[in-house]
Amino acid sequence: MKDFEFQTATTVDEAVSLLAARGDRARVLTGGTDLIVQLRENLREADLVVDVKKIPELMEYRLTEQGLLLGAGVPCYRLYGDEAICKAYPALVDSARIIGGWQIQSRASIGGNLCNSSPAADSVPTLIAYDVVCHIAGPEGRRTVPVAEFCTAPGRNVLKRGELLTSLEFPAAGKHSSGAYLRFIPRNEMDIAVVGAGAWVQLDAKGETIERSRLALAAVAPTPLFLADASASLAGKPATAETFKQAGEMASAIAKPINDKRGTVEYRKHLAGVLVERSLAGAVRRARGETWDPHE
Amino acid sequence: MTPKSEQKKFKVIGTRPIRHDGADKVTGRAVYGADLRLSGLVHGKILRSPHAHARVKSIDTSAAEKLPGVLAVATRADMPDLKDKIADLGEGSVNLAHLGANVLAHDKVYYKGHAVAAVAAANPHVAEEAVKLIKVDYEVLPAVTWVMDAMKDDAPLLHSDVFTKSMGKKSSKPSNVPTHIHFEKGNIEEGFKAADVIVQREFKTASVHQGYIEPHVSTALWNQDGHVTVWTATQGAFTARAQTAELLQIPVSQVTVVPCEIGGGFGGKIAVYLEPVAAMLSRKCGRPVKMVMTREDVFEGTGPTPGSFMRVKLGATKDGKLVAGEAWLAYDAGAFPSGVIGPGAMCVFSCYELPHAKVDGYDVVNNKPKTQAYRAPGATQAAFACETVIDELAEKLKIDPIEFRLKNAAKEGTRRVDGPVYPRVGLVETLEAAKSSPHWKSKLEGKYRGRGIASGYWFNIGLKSSVAANVNNDGTVSLIEGSTDIGGTRTSIAMQFAETLGITAEAVHPRVGDTDSVGYTDLTGGSRTTFATGLAAHEVALDIQRQMTERAAILWECEASQVQVEDGVYCHKDKKFTFAELAGQLGHTGGPVVGRATVSPEGASNGFGTHMVDVEVDPDTAKVTILRYTAIQDAGRAIHPSYVEGQMQGGAVQGIGWALNEEYVYNDQGRMENASYLDYRMPTALDVPAIETIIVEVPNPAHPYGVRGVGETPIIAPPAAIANAIYAATGVRMTELPMSPPRLWAAMTKGKNT
Amino acid sequence: MVRKTHVATTINGEPVEFLCEARQSLLEVLRETVGLTGSKEGCNNGNCGACTVLLDGQPVDSCLVLAVEVDGAQITTIEGLAKDSHLHPIQQCFLEDAALQCGICTPGFIMSAKALLDRNPNPSEHAIRFQLAGNLCRCTGYDKIIRAVQDSAKRMAEQTK
């Protein structure tokens, strides 16, 4: 690996000024499970690496009735180890549990996964489904961006020179609503998603009708996709297998994947449909108060 | 030789002692190649070709040499000229120019990842940076990776000095097909005329890597006295020594190879890659040079098993008797000639009594890394084809798949297509064990669930082994073995020694020797180690016993012939000594007792196995889940049952990976796209269930304890067994490996049968 | 030339200080500088787990941790498991159950198993396979490794009685 300077920031302002000074020659280090590989394999370069894991705002999370504020550097294992998070945001836990294996989850963070901005990122469909807002700090102050707009191209996002993702804000987990994330991989662990699907639903009090829904897909386009039309079309529909199937068909039609070593175009389009159908069904079951395990 | 197994019950054989190197291995103390520490050690790195096929016009190392911290640089210019040199390295003759060119390219590079130059520096990161500064002028040539494309007349020609050898004749034009093998038995036209049912299918398999977790690593010191010491991860210290000496064109006596503990081999750590380069760098800088491959280098720059195209045709009568078989096999050799088509052609029909048969096998060079052995090299591909066709025949004839195999199973007296006649072998016993197994008897219910079965054969080799033993005065014995230990053999060899001598396994202290400490021993591979080195251990134990008997005779003032030995106790009239007691007295009888033995057993030990598997296929995603797996194998005699089970389980899971997900993915420039453990998908613990094992023992008449080699056979049957299970679950016959979800899905949706 | 950083950390209960370059991974420094070669390099990109160590109690791939990051941290490596002349029960069970063949993946597996059993003293087979999916083995087919972890759970439960 080419050598670089290493600095540890203890405040957001310190991180921002270090990043602003070096622009794209500086990289943020949270878990390192993407960055270190990229530096080693010359996929990314850095003259300065800024460790942000000593900034309290990035390493804390706060779950209240208003929602969840998740620091950008919180490692995945802390999420699935928290029962309250498992109950309130199960799709977030679905994602956290499958990014790499246990050793990766000890370090990797949801915020880092988002900022790496891979089209196949396992956290992003979940974040989109939950309609998360990204909190960003930069030389010109703080701003927010809806997560569906965050990734702009493979490996690229809206962060400007000197900017840092500080936290992710989840809306309150209300009654009769829940989410699910499901991905397809050829093995059972340790693979990059061939297709990933995140779903969130708000059901009526009887649990029979979908009031609102948000569906998202990974690995079928240059960025993770919010399926706006398919999601909107579910409003008012009965929460039945027929509806889930229709949603899957719409997803399959929208998906624009590529042929690569992980899957072919036809196969990915087909899987997009299958996974949207299954993840939507899972979100509905959870919204009704039932349990649903993505690994079944 | 009446196997001892039939004479009496064993004291040590069949028990499960803790392996002698155990404490070191579970505490991290064991010294593998990369753990080696030497005073003055520096690090070497290799520059590899980015092109799949190119002429190397020039190499400019000047910028690299100027980088501060760089101590030496090596290219083809530093290595001796090996043109037209052939050497016998123990397993037949080897073209040294090809071996040398694979280690460091000469005028052409033949695959992406082909080594071109090397740098040594004190800091490994500096060595890496220096490698990037080496400028190579390539003339890129068209590349060919698919074996059938490489055989075409208009394919890019790799070597202008390779001609097709076929039936004793050499072709007049150079070709990408160095060898055509042909075996024939009976008259296949007549044979097929007598068939009531004939099935013919074509098959494709992809390149697959052994996948050992430890990357290749070698350290070399070209000392100021001219002696070269190499510490390396190798399956054979003596073959590494011979190859290194030949490639450097120095006498074998000038080279010592010290085998380190090795992190897996499976056939991939027999050919040398780093040793001669490290030695050359060391010569230039006067320091010991350690070279470790990256995982990407391992995939791109070592030796996967061939991809293949195969056509198999089998005919049977309506009551299920096989009458004729025809196989056409084309296997990658990769960059240089001599792949593993030979064993593939030998094994394709090896499980069956086949009165008429014809096998044509083609060794084909192409722009992939030079292929090497991978656990029963060539047999898995061939079995995938044959066992699928057998399954289809049995189904068409409405005969149970085990019954069909029993009707036609190879037995003592069966002549294999390539000539040898089997002595007593155990295929039938494995099939009977399969039939009566709890797995086979269990019901498998549910849609998209299916069960499949397949058999496999590997000949297993003999070759040469040497051991030496020193009796300590406390009754323990130090046993120096010439076989490197990849999986626990130092203990299974010590156990055979202990059994013969009548002492405990714990009283033996086995060590793996280097090339200066122990007699010539062929590689650990070919399922030969427990068999042949075990035989040597048995011989050295008899040698020790003879000497101990003579010493007892001295003490008791009688003739050696008057001393009896029973269960390790030496007696004469009313006098007796245990081995330990006698050992304590050796000082009074003329000094220490040292034993030696060297063996070169002829003939194979013939390992047969039968595997069965239950799968479930997700109809929407075509993902295959292995529900239950049983591996059955004839081990002859299981010396240490835990390690026999371990070989069966390990081979089965490698076979599962080969069947379902492992493959080299090439782009259209001939570059491998998935050279990492992320996208080269080996099974994790979550991808497989428990692997049940049934050890059948049909003792090998050629070994005192009946041992048959077990290491390789277990990888042969899994892909075919899984393909047959997938057919039972979905009605789709898969004829291409791996049967990954996108492929299976395409086959399932586009209609049955590819 | 970039200067080296001084790092002070605790490894296997003992204070350790070292100098390192920012680009050096924890794995590299453990092996080359501190001299603890029990953690192994299999892939150097977080896909095989042969380099697993415990970092503040969590199992991590040490190839994906920069050595400069561990200032002030507590690290446990395979070398820290045995106590005096006694193997840890997990180490003992791996030997008794023949859960290793070449042994290169064994330190990584033992560290992951320890992390698992420290949190879940009685894991199901599925839970063991799930938590250990980040450790690759090519020799054993995993069967005896899983059994060894199950036996370790029993052995450790007996010892705490």
Side-chain angles (χ1 to χ4, degrees):
Chain A
M1 229 192 310
K2 262 195 70 198
D3 210 356
F4 46 81
E5 245 185 271
F6 179 86
Q7 299 267 26
T8 305
T10 53
T11 65
V12 170
D13 288 342
E14 196 185 338
V16 165
S17 70
L18 283 169
L19 296 171
R22 304 291 197 99
D24 59 7
R25 300 303 301 171
R27 292 261 150 219
V28 170
L29 177 70
T30 47
T33 54
D34 285 317
L35 181 65
I36 294 175
V37 176
Q38 290 158 356
L39 292 176
R40 197 173 275 148
E41 295 178 7
N42 298 303
L43 300 169
R44 285 207 215 264
E45 282 189 6
D47 294 333
L48 168 67
V49 168
V50 181
D51 186 355
V52 298
K53 296 192 290 293
K54 298 256 163 45
I55 303 175
E57 185 180 334
L58 267 64
M59 300 309 289
E60 290 165 354
Y61 65 88
R62 211 169 48 233
L63 177 60
T64 64
E65 272 166 19
Q66 278 74 52
L68 168 66
L69 190 62
L70 174 63
V74 173
C76 288
Y77 81 92
R78 286 175 58 196
L79 297 174
Y80 56 71
D82 184 322
E83 270 196 50
I85 300 254
C86 292
K87 256 189 103 189
Y89 301 97
L92 180 61
V93 168
D94 293 338
S95 293
R97 257 228 161 281
I98 53 163
I99 292 176
W102 193 10
Q103 291 91 328
I104 301 292
Q105 294 154 20
S106 292
R107 304 281 290 168
S109 62
I110 298 290
N113 188 252
L114 173 64
C115 290
N116 189 47
S117 304
S118 160
D122 280 316
S123 68
V124 188
T126 294
L127 299 175
I128 293 174
Y130 277 131
D131 204 7
V132 161
V133 168
C134 307
H135 289 257
I136 297 168
E140 280 149 49
R142 304 259 181 162
R143 65 186 181 108
T144 61
V145 169
V147 74
E149 294 167 27
F150 189 86
C151 300
T152 55
R156 302 176 78 83
N157 54 54
V158 298
L159 291 177
K160 298 202 278 266
R161 184 183 178 113
E163 286 191 320
L164 169 72
L165 179 75
T166 57
S167 56
L168 298 166
E169 187 185 343
F170 292 66
K175 282 204 172 86
H176 313 299
S177 73
S178 195
Y181 176 73
L182 194 55
R183 73 173 177 185
F184 180 78
I185 51 172
R187 292 183 292 181
N188 287 327
E189 257 288 348
M190 298 306 288
D191 282 334
I192 299 261
V194 176
V195 174
W200 174 88
V201 288
Q202 171 73 61
L203 301 178
D204 66 340
K206 288 213 211 109
E208 285 168 9
T209 309
I210 297 173
E211 290 180 352
R212 278 193 310 131
S213 173
R214 288 178 64 88
L215 304 174
L217 282 173
V220 296
T223 67
L225 284 184
F226 170 48
L227 307 181
D229 293 337
S231 303
S233 81
L234 291 177
K237 290 246 169 66
T240 60
E242 181 61 41
T243 303
F244 306 152
K245 199 159 188 295
Q246 281 167 15
E249 282 158 13
M250 287 189 73
S252 207
I254 296 165
K256 285 187 183 10
I258 56 171
N259 271 339
D260 72 5
K261 57 184 178 264
R262 296 182 186 126
T264 58
V265 168
E266 305 81 26
Y267 185 57
R268 280 187 151 120
K269 280 173 84 74
H270 167 76
L271 280 182
V274 173
L275 293 184
V276 163
E277 186 181 343
R278 291 182 183 179
S279 62
L280 184 52
V284 164
R285 286 191 40 192
R286 284 174 169 168
R288 289 181 181 144
E290 296 161 28
T291 54
W292 178 79
D293 182 353
H295 301 287
E296 296 286 289
Chain B
M1 185 185 339
T2 318
K4 283 207 162 184
S5 53
E6 286 166 15
Q7 291 171 2
K8 58 176 182 178
K9 207 165 143 52
F10 297 114
K11 290 236 174 77
V12 177
I13 286 172
T15 64
R16 301 176 190 246
I18 291 192
R19 58 195 283 164
H20 297 78
D21 56 333
D24 280 349
K25 299 247 157 101
V26 296
T27 57
R29 221 179 271 291
V31 179
Y32 294 83
D35 303 329
L36 189 72
R37 295 271 162 284
L38 289 175
S39 166
L41 187 71
V42 301
H43 300 270
K45 296 285 171 189
I46 297 223
L47 174 68
R48 295 181 181 277
S49 166
H51 303 295
H53 194 195
R55 241 177 273 286
V56 179
K57 290 168 59 190
S58 65
I59 305 176
D60 178 3
T61 58
S62 52
E65 289 174 56
K66 288 199 198 87
L67 189 69
V70 169
L71 299 170
V73 176
T75 67
R76 61 193 173 166
D78 297 298
M79 305 297 278
D81 182 10
L82 298 163
K83 195 157 147 50
D84 299 326
K85 286 199 156 53
I86 309 281
D88 186 335
L89 297 181
E91 272 191 278
S93 52
V94 171
N95 181 321
L96 286 177
H98 289 165
L99 182 61
N102 198 36
V103 166
L104 217 52
H106 290 168
D107 53 347
K108 279 180 83 177
V109 288
Y110 295 97
Y111 52 99
K112 175 177 187 282
H114 194 162
V116 172
V119 173
N123 183 328
H125 295 278
V126 170
E128 258 173 44
E129 285 174 37
V131 154
K132 295 195 191 115
L133 296 175
I134 299 176
K135 295 193 212 18
V136 184
D137 188 10
Y138 292 106
E139 179 196 326
V140 181
L141 301 167
V144 60
T145 51
W146 172 228
V147 65
M148 296 302 278
D149 289 338
M151 290 181 85
K152 294 190 179 135
D153 284 331
D154 60 350
L157 182 71
L158 268 70
H159 301 277
S160 53
D161 62 345
V162 168
F163 299 83
T164 306
K165 283 198 284 294
S166 171
M167 321 270 240
K169 295 202 196 89
K170 204 166 97 158
S171 67
S172 53
K173 270 181 22 181
S175 147
N176 285 337
V177 184
T179 310
H180 164 220
I181 293 175
H182 181 82
F183 298 133
E184 236 181 274
K185 184 185 180 199
N187 181 328
I188 57 156
E189 263 142 40
E190 270 183 38
F192 280 119
K193 280 205 198 99
D196 294 315
V197 182
I198 294 176
V199 173
Q200 177 177 282
R201 283 209 177 260
E202 291 181 352
F203 300 86
K204 289 186 191 162
T205 72
S207 297
V208 159
H209 196 272
Q210 300 84 346
Y212 31 79
I213 307 297
E214 177 202 40
H216 294 249
V217 49
S218 303
T219 301
L221 171 62
W222 194 304
N223 215 340
Q224 280 74 16
D225 63 0
H227 198 87
V228 177
T229 306
V230 178
W231 295 261
T232 185
T234 179
Q235 293 176 233
F238 287 89
T239 177
R241 180 178 76 166
Q243 293 176 64
T244 302
E246 290 287 356
L247 292 181
L248 295 171
Q249 287 288 286
I250 58 179
V252 147
S253 57
Q254 206 173 316
V255 181
T256 300
V257 172
V258 181
C260 301
E261 298 295 344
I262 176 175
F266 314 112
K269 287 184 180 153
I270 298 170
V272 298
Y273 298 95
L274 301 170
E275 293 84 339
V277 182
M280 186 49 67
L281 286 171
S282 177
R283 182 182 206 185
K284 291 184 119 187
C285 70
R287 310 266 290 266
V289 177
K290 181 197 278 185
M291 301 185 75
V292 189
M293 284 198 194
T294 65
R295 180 53 51 186
E296 191 180 0
D297 292 349
V298 172
F299 278 118
E300 294 188 333
T302 63
T305 197
S308 69
F309 176 83
M310 302 174 284
R311 196 180 302 125
V312 167
K313 179 174 165 185
L314 282 168
T317 61
K318 59 178 180 295
D319 42 275
K321 230 32 189 112
L322 284 173
V323 284
E326 193 176 343
W328 191 98
L329 314 170
Y331 281 15
D332 293 336
F336 296 96
S338 288
V340 298
I341 184 61
M346 287 159 67
C347 291
V348 62
F349 293 136
S350 53
C351 288
Y352 302 106
E353 180 70 68
L354 201 49
H356 308 281
K358 186 168 94 144
V359 178
D360 286 289
Y362 296 87
D363 191 44
V364 181
V365 295
N366 48 8
N367 295 114
K368 291 179 169 183
K370 169 153 178 44
T371 56
Q372 298 290 344
Y374 176 18
R375 213 163 189 167
T380 305
Q381 294 89 331
F384 174 59
C386 178
E387 290 294 295
T388 299
V389 172
I390 292 276
D391 196 65
E392 196 168 349
L393 266 179
E395 193 207 12
K396 283 190 149 73
L397 291 169
K398 301 199 180 8
I399 299 176
D400 170 275
I402 294 187
E403 290 307 325
F404 186 90
R405 288 175 173 83
L406 279 168
K407 268 192 211 292
N408 296 285
K411 303 183 174 67
E412 183 169 2
T414 299
R415 186 167 88 82
R416 221 167 54 207
V417 180
D418 57 301
V421 173
Y422 288 127
R424 181 81 173 87
V425 291
L427 173 59
V428 165
E429 283 78 357
T430 70
L431 290 165
E432 299 285 4
K435 204 159 113 173
S436 58
S437 66
H439 184 168
W440 192 252
K441 292 202 169 125
S442 69
K443 258 185 156 352
L444 178 65
E445 279 163 334
K447 255 190 116 179
Y448 298 108
R449 289 184 165 192
R451 178 170 294 167
I453 192 163
S455 294
Y457 164 79
W458 186 250
F459 36 87
N460 305 335
I461 56 181
L463 297 184
K464 308 175 196 61
S465 284
S466 306
V467 294
N470 301 303
V471 178
N472 301 309
N473 61 14
D474 62 354
T476 63
V477 185
S478 307
L479 181 66
I480 320 286
E481 304 170 8
S483 287
T484 61
D485 183 356
I486 346 179
T489 45
R490 89 192 69 186
T491 294
S492 66
I493 292 163
M495 288 170 73
Q496 295 178 64
F497 176 84
E499 184 73 52
T500 303
L501 208 45
I503 60 178
T504 65
E506 290 76 10
V508 183
H509 300 300
R511 253 193 58 216
V512 175
D514 63 40
T515 55
D516 288 343
S517 324
V518 67
Y520 182 89
T521 299
D522 278 308
L523 54 99
T524 294
S527 309
R528 64 172 299 267
T529 312
T530 302
F531 167 67
T533 311
L535 178 60
H538 172 73
E539 295 286 322
V540 77
L542 292 177
D543 183 21
I544 299 258
Q545 196 168 80
R546 249 185 316 269
Q547 296 183 58
M548 296 296 272
T549 307
E550 283 159 16
R551 301 305 184 90
I554 291 172
L555 288 170
W556 292 331
E557 294 173 337
C558 64
E559 294 297 316
S561 57
Q562 294 172 303
V563 176
Q564 270 81 53
V565 190
E566 186 78 42
D567 286 343
V569 178
Y570 298 75
C571 353
H572 169 67
K573 299 206 175 124
D574 59 340
K575 290 187 269 233
K576 34 174 174 194
F577 278 132
T578 62
F579 182 86
E581 287 165 345
L582 182 51
Q585 301 287 320
L586 288 179
H588 304 307
T589 65
V593 165
V594 167
R596 88 243 190 307
T598 178
V599 301
S600 183
E602 295 273 322
S605 67
N606 296 307
F608 283 93
T610 297
H611 288 203
M612 72 183 77
V613 59
D614 294 347
V615 304
E616 181 175 293
V617 181
D618 182 321
D620 293 313
T621 65
K623 183 160 175 180
V624 175
T625 301
I626 308 277
L627 299 173
R628 187 170 181 181
Y629 199 102
T630 302
I632 302 162
Q633 191 166 331
D634 173 19
R637 168 79 52 206
I639 301 297
H640 192 314
S642 301
Y643 288 97
V644 174
E645 291 158 0
Q647 291 295 318
M648 293 165 70
Q649 292 165 333
V653 171
Q654 284 181 315
I656 290 170
W658 195 333
L660 293 180
N661 276 310
E662 292 178 39
E663 61 179 318
Y664 273 45
V665 177
Y666 280 98
N667 69 15
D668 49 18
Q669 285 111 52
R671 299 192 171 120
M672 183 186 184
E673 295 198 314
N674 61 330
S676 110
Y677 275 151
L678 177 61
D679 287 307
Y680 181 85
R681 302 195 185 97
M682 301 183 345
T684 68
L686 194 58
D687 293 312
V688 292
I691 308 290
E692 296 163 55
T693 57
I694 298 175
I695 300 175
V696 157
E697 289 181 326
V698 176
N700 178 5
H703 187 280
Y705 294 121
V707 168
R708 294 184 194 271
V710 298
E712 291 172 285
T713 298
I715 201 175
I716 300 168
I722 292 170
N724 293 337
I726 288 174
Y727 173 72
T730 63
V732 174
R733 282 241 177 250
M734 292 301 287
T735 54
E736 195 175 334
L737 289 182
M739 300 175 285
S740 53
R743 273 205 195 91
L744 178 54
W745 179 77
M748 282 165 70
T749 50
K750 282 164 192 175
K752 321 293 179 178
N753 301 332
T754 46
Chain C
M1 188 173 81
V2 183
R3 300 189 74 140
K4 291 193 178 182
T5 305
H6 174 261
V7 174
T9 183
T10 306
I11 302 181
N12 299 329
E14 285 173 21
V16 174
E17 294 176 46
F18 54 79
L19 292 175
C20 66
E21 296 175 3
R23 62 182 162 182
Q24 289 183 285
S25 67
L26 175 60
L27 175 66
E28 189 185 331
V29 168
L30 283 172
R31 291 177 53 79
E32 307 294 324
T33 313
V34 182
L36 296 172
T37 59
S39 310
K40 307 297 180 192
E41 179 184 317
C43 69
N44 224 9
N45 64 11
N47 284 298
C48 77
C51 65
T52 305
V53 301
L54 303 186
L55 179 58
D56 292 329
Q58 280 294 125
V60 300
D61 290 320
S62 58
C63 67
L64 295 187
V65 176
L66 297 175
V68 289
E69 293 182 78
V70 303
D71 195 86
Q74 302 263 354
I75 299 169
T76 310
T77 71
I78 186 69
E79 289 89 346
L81 246 56
K83 282 280 167 288
D84 308 318
S85 62
H86 301 293
L87 292 175
H88 188 282
I90 300 174
Q91 292 169 314
Q92 188 62 34
C93 287
F94 265 65
L95 288 180
E96 289 172 16
D97 291 340
L100 56 144
Q101 289 178 30
C102 80
I104 196 92
C105 72
T106 304
F109 265 102
I110 292 177
M111 298 314 291
S112 293
K114 177 174 196 309
L116 171 62
L117 296 176
D118 282 348
R119 286 157 179 72
N120 181 352
N122 190 18
S124 65
E125 179 178 341
H126 178 83
I128 297 172
R129 288 182 182 276
F130 187 83
Q131 295 304 132
L132 298 187
N135 288 82
L136 290 183
C137 174
R138 197 54 162 169
C139 293
T140 67
Y142 304 106
D143 189 288
K144 292 183 189 296
I145 292 176
I146 305 304
R147 283 173 213 279
V149 177
Q150 290 169 324
D151 285 341
S152 302
K154 291 197 198 95
R155 184 81 51 98
M156 287 165 72
E158 279 161 23
Q159 287 184 357
T160 54
K161 287 214 184 93

